[in-house]
């Protein structure tokens, strides 16, 4: 079905340009004011709103505030249109709830790319919600099949997020594998045996791919920025931990085992906490950090260092990565789990394809 985009701009020339650029692929509806936009919305719900900031009577931010105050309208993704070329305006756009922004005058390829990305993510989210709803109806008589399907959706969504971050998608598989290796070794060593039951480990491995699910709500301008983030941008990036927890409860709450939901939410929320209390988002320390998140931190950091990315060279060999992790024993990482992880050197070399002793 053809997507409908509502363009709200008081400049008719801009509306004509939007029709010319976007009308080849999408159905365009136009409104020259906030009043006209809300009159349109009374009878129509577009798939996306392109919203100009500088308009008389009701500017883009006022319109956005009204959209956010309506249960139906706030579900519509919004991309701001702005001729302003300053970071303060960009920051205000995202904090108002926009999914992205496009500078005026439009650069056709850039504008279409951003619109395509937002619509693809929204379509994926809608399909996910539909799938979960359909699965809920079948849960009593077909629980095994549904469980398998849900896991595929989880992996698929996690991979989509990794691809947004210019990753290859292997991070999801690798971190899940490393979490299982750590947990199995801890269980054999009778470390945290009161927590690390078979069920807990299974749920933790299943939940590991969701650790960065909150990045789906982080704008591309921040997520894909090649250089160093500003303090404000980094503060916004850190919110992916809270977003991740909320998404897990919103989408899966009541449809999955309570233990699994709690583990998945804790991993997403706390995997950037540090043993010494200097992490985020809550600044937890020591064993106040949930065990699953402490384990996830090792898998996440190891793969981030060892794996090659288009924007960085890998740290090799395994022994060098383990040396970096050992230096963070008792500061970033749980000391006991650090010792367990270091003891996995041979297994990590096998998993990464390094020869023993290399």
């Amino acid at each position: 079905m053809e997507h409908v985009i509502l363009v709200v701009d008081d400049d008719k020339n801009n509306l004509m340009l939007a029709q010319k650029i976007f009308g080849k692929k999408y159905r365009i509806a136009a409104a020259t004011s906030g009043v006209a936009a809300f009159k349109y919305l009374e009878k129509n719900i577009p798939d996306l709103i392109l919203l100009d900031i500088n308009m008389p009577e009701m500017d883009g931010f006022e319109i956005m505030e009204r959209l956010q105050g309506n249960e139906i309208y706030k579900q519509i993704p919004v991309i701001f249109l702005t001729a302003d070329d300053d970071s303060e305006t960009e920051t205000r756009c995202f904090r108002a709830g926009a999914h992205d922004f496009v500078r005026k005058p439009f650069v056709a390829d850039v504008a279409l790319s951003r619109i395509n990305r937002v619509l693809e993510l929204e379509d994926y989210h809608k399909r996910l919600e539909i799938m979960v709803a359909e699965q809920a109806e079948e849960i009593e008589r077909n629980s095994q099949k549904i469980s398998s399907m849900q896991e595929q959706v989880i992996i698929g969504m996690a991979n989509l997020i990794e691809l947004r971050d210019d990753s290859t998608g292997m991070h999801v598989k690798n971190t899940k594998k490393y979490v299982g290796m750590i947990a199995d070794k801890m269980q054999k060593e009778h470390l945290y045996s009161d927590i690390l039951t078979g069920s807990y480990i299974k749920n933790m491995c299943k939940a590991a791919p969701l650790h960065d699910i909150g990045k789906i709500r982080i704008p591309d301008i921040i997520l894909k920025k090649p250089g160093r983030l500003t303090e404000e941008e980094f503060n916004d990036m850190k919110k992916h931990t809270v977003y991740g927890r909320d998404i897990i409860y919103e989408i899966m709450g009541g449809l999955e085992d309570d233990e699994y939901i709690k583990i998945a939410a804790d991993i997403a929320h706390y995997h950037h906490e540090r043993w010494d209390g200097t992490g985020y988002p809550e600044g937890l320390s020591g064993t106040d950090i949930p065990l699953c998140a402490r384990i996830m931190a090792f898998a996440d950091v190891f793969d981030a260092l060892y794996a090659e990315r288009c924007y960085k060279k890998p740290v090799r060999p395994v022994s060098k990565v383990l040396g970096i992790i050992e230096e963070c024993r008792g500061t970033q990482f749980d000391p006991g789990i650090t010792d367990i992880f270091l003891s996995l050197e041979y297994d990590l070399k096998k998993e990464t394809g390094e020869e023993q002793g290399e």
Side-chain angles (χ1 to χ4, degrees), residues 151 155 171-180 205-206 208-209:
E151 191 160 1
I155 297 295
H171 183 64
V172 170
K173 294 180 180 178
N174 290 343
T175 50
K176 178 179 180 179
K177 177 173 57 183
Y178 299 145
V179 163
C205 291
K206 183 180 175 183

Side-chain angles (χ1 to χ4, degrees), residues 20-40:
K20 181 179 179 181
I21 294 175
F22 311 132
K24 297 176 182 179
K25 187 171 183 180
Y26 304 109
R27 188 152 56 91
I28 305 299
T32 56
S33 67
V35 172
F38 284 106
K39 187 173 182 180
Y40 173 86

Side-chain angles (χ1 to χ4, degrees), residues 125 213-214 217 239-253 261 264-266 268-269:
H125 186 261
I213 193 173
R217 292 185 181 173
K239 293 177 184 177
H240 82 273
T241 55
V242 177
Y243 294 154
R245 175 202 61 190
D246 293 345
I247 288 170
I248 287 166
Y249 279 122
E250 288 168 7
I251 294 180
M252 300 177 184
I261 294 296
D266 281 347
H269 194 194

Side-chain angles (χ1 to χ4, degrees), residues 7-9 11-20 30-32:
V7 184
V8 186
D9 195 317
D11 188 328
K12 293 184 178 180
N13 289 328
N14 284 336
L15 294 177
M16 292 174 61
L17 182 60
Q19 177 65 49
K20 181 179 179 181
T32 56

Side-chain angles (χ1 to χ4, degrees), residues 180-192:
M181 290 169 61
I182 298 167
D184 288 343
K185 181 70 171 180
M186 290 173 67
Q187 190 179 52
K188 290 176 182 176
E189 297 293 329
H190 305 291
L191 189 62
Y192 294 105

Side-chain angles (χ1 to χ4, degrees), residues 188-231:
K188 290 176 182 176
E189 297 293 329
H190 305 291
L191 189 62
Y192 294 105
S193 56
D194 58 326
I195 301 176
L196 286 175
T197 62
S199 171
Y200 188 95
I201 294 174
K202 179 181 178 182
N203 282 325
M204 185 167 52
C205 291
K206 183 180 175 183
L210 293 175
H211 66 282
D212 277 338
I213 193 173
K215 285 184 177 178
I216 199 168
R217 292 185 181 173
I218 302 298
D220 276 355
I221 190 173
I222 295 176
L223 192 64
K224 301 171 76 69
K225 183 175 180 179
R228 187 179 182 86
L229 297 179
T230 65
E231 183 177 352

